[in-house]
Amino acid sequence: MADPQLLSTVRDLVGRQYGRVYAWDEVNAPMIRQWCEIMGVDNPLYTDADFALGTAHEGLIAPPAMLQVWTMEGLHTNNYPPGSTDENPYEVLTAMEAYGYASTVAVNSELSFTRPLRLGEKLYYTTRLESVGDEKTTALGTGFFVTLIMSHFVEKAGGDEPVGQLLFRVFKFRPANAQAAAPVEVAQAKPKRPLPGVSDDTRFFWDGCAQRQLLIQRCTACQTLRHPPAPVCIECHSFEWDTLQASGRATLYSYVVMHYPEVPPFDYPNPIGLIELEEGVRLIAGLVGVKGDALRIGQRLQVKFQTFDDQQTLPMFRPEQA
């Protein structure tokens, strides 16, 4: 049973509203174009001004899924625009950690939209601690489901307008294997990395990694390379394919640095890159041998195969040696 003092603290926080976090920039066409390019979205409503002018929207709009993008902090942690709140909307998680609920796993995230965003609009969001469920015991352990809602608004002279919400839910828990008191001191087993889902379409890639080969699927009819692997060529629709062993030389097309929540067994901060191979295809992989603040778009990289838990070999990428 949860500590009564913790329950009292948590209940006092439920419903608390945290102040505004502002966007650095207005909704703008360059960011929309770059986001669409990276995400593979080719709807002309977002990037073709002439086409968009002839639609019911009478001009360009931002993809709805970009709602959260406009108010992100950027490369550096907590780097928000002037006027943004310095309150911590995750203080309830910190309170739980003091009572032994040290682990966090994201459960789900839901975006909802009131209307599309238009060029020139400026956003901010506020956060509300929506709910903390009763203590639950799951296969992971015992803890609480915590739900926060980030409400997004467009600034307007006549009154700010709500345009969407982001619901974010996590499970804050005490791991199951930490509850049983061992009669003798035993070293806790280190969590292993989850294994990838392997299908008939992807098995060649993972088998290649085990042999320290970076294999890319190639259509034998038109020679188009494709990744992730797929059963049909995206260009000529042929089912016939073989593989090309990539050189491993690449550039950093984009990246993120994961800081929180920290999920074992990964190390943090955890840089993840969108890698563009010199053969022309992109893949997502971990970055090693470099700190997050030293990463640069366009940086030259080289593959480095790394084996984890004596059972899984992954292609990681490090800065190319001079």
Side-chain angles (χ1 to χ4, degrees):
M1 181 177 294
D3 187 284
Q5 182 58 49
L6 171 62
L7 293 178
S8 176
T9 300
V10 167
R11 287 167 183 157
D12 287 343
L13 290 173
V14 171
R16 178 170 178 179
Q17 191 87 15
Y18 297 85
R20 297 183 179 188
V21 174
Y22 289 98
W24 276 106
D25 302 289
E26 297 177 345
V27 176
N28 62 84
M31 286 179 65
I32 293 174
R33 178 183 56 77
Q34 292 168 12
W35 187 91
C36 288
E37 181 181 350
I38 291 170
M39 301 301 292
V41 175
D42 58 4
N43 188 334
L45 182 59
Y46 307 139
T47 56
D48 187 331
D50 292 335
F51 174 88
L53 192 62
T55 70
H57 299 285
E58 299 180 339
L60 292 174
I61 63 172
M66 279 189 75
L67 179 66
Q68 186 186 12
V69 172
W70 303 107
T71 51
M72 284 183 169
E73 58 202 297
L75 178 61
H76 302 291
T77 304
N78 296 326
N79 181 34
Y80 293 110
S84 297
T85 181
D86 58 2
E87 297 174 305
N88 176 17
Y90 300 101
E91 64 176 323
V92 67
L93 304 184
T94 303
M96 291 177 178
E97 288 171 0
Y99 288 83
Y101 300 87
S103 297
T104 309
V105 62
V107 177
N108 64 299
S109 177
E110 300 173 5
L111 276 173
S112 58
F113 318 103
T114 304
R115 67 158 175 84
L117 299 177
R118 301 181 180 280
L119 300 186
E121 293 184 320
K122 194 74 175 289
L123 275 76
Y124 68 86
Y125 73 86
T126 60
T127 303
R128 183 177 74 255
L129 177 57
E130 179 72 3
S131 65
V132 177
D134 296 332
E135 189 179 51
K136 302 287 185 183
T137 298
T138 71
L140 290 175
T142 299
F144 302 87
F145 288 94
V146 178
T147 303
L148 297 110
I149 292 182
M150 290 78 165
S151 297
H152 289 69
F153 300 85
V154 165
E155 293 183 285
K156 286 193 170 183
D160 298 342
E161 181 182 358
V163 290
Q165 287 188 336
L166 169 65
L167 179 150
F168 184 55
R169 182 176 293 120
V170 301
F171 184 49
K172 189 68 172 171
F173 64 100
R174 182 185 293 123
N177 58 8
Q179 291 183 336
V184 294
E185 188 173 339
V186 179
Q188 187 175 3
K190 182 179 179 180
K192 294 184 177 181
R193 285 194 175 221
L195 294 173
V198 179
S199 68
D200 289 341
D201 294 324
T202 64
R203 184 169 289 106
F204 79 89
F205 180 81
W206 301 112
D207 288 347
C209 290
Q211 301 299 318
R212 285 174 154 65
Q213 297 178 341
L214 187 58
L215 300 181
I216 304 299
Q217 197 174 39
R218 176 175 59 187
C219 174
T220 56
C222 69
Q223 303 302 300
T224 297
L225 299 177
R226 60 183 186 263
H227 189 88
V232 180
C233 176
I234 58 176
E235 294 295 335
C236 72
H237 303 154
S238 171
F239 285 87
E240 303 303 319
W241 59 272
D242 61 7
T243 61
L244 170 74
Q245 182 175 343
S247 67
R249 293 185 293 273
T251 56
L252 185 59
Y253 188 85
S254 184
Y255 66 94
V256 296
V257 180
M258 301 295 297
H259 293 271
Y260 189 84
E262 295 186 0
V263 179
F266 302 97
D267 297 324
Y268 291 86
N270 183 16
I272 306 294
L274 179 59
I275 312 298
E276 185 160 45
L277 301 178
E278 72 172 7
E279 287 78 12
V281 296
R282 299 172 191 159
L283 73 161
I284 296 172
L287 298 167
V288 295
V290 61
K291 294 183 178 180
D293 57 5
L295 292 169
R296 298 290 182 270
I297 301 299
Q299 190 170 8
R300 296 290 301 172
L301 304 173
Q302 176 66 46
V303 73
K304 177 184 179 182
F305 288 97
Q306 191 169 342
T307 300
F308 298 91
D309 309 320
D310 296 322
Q311 63 177 351
Q312 181 185 27
T313 300
L314 295 177
M316 315 288 280
F317 283 81
R318 58 170 174 77
E320 188 176 65
Q321 300 299 320

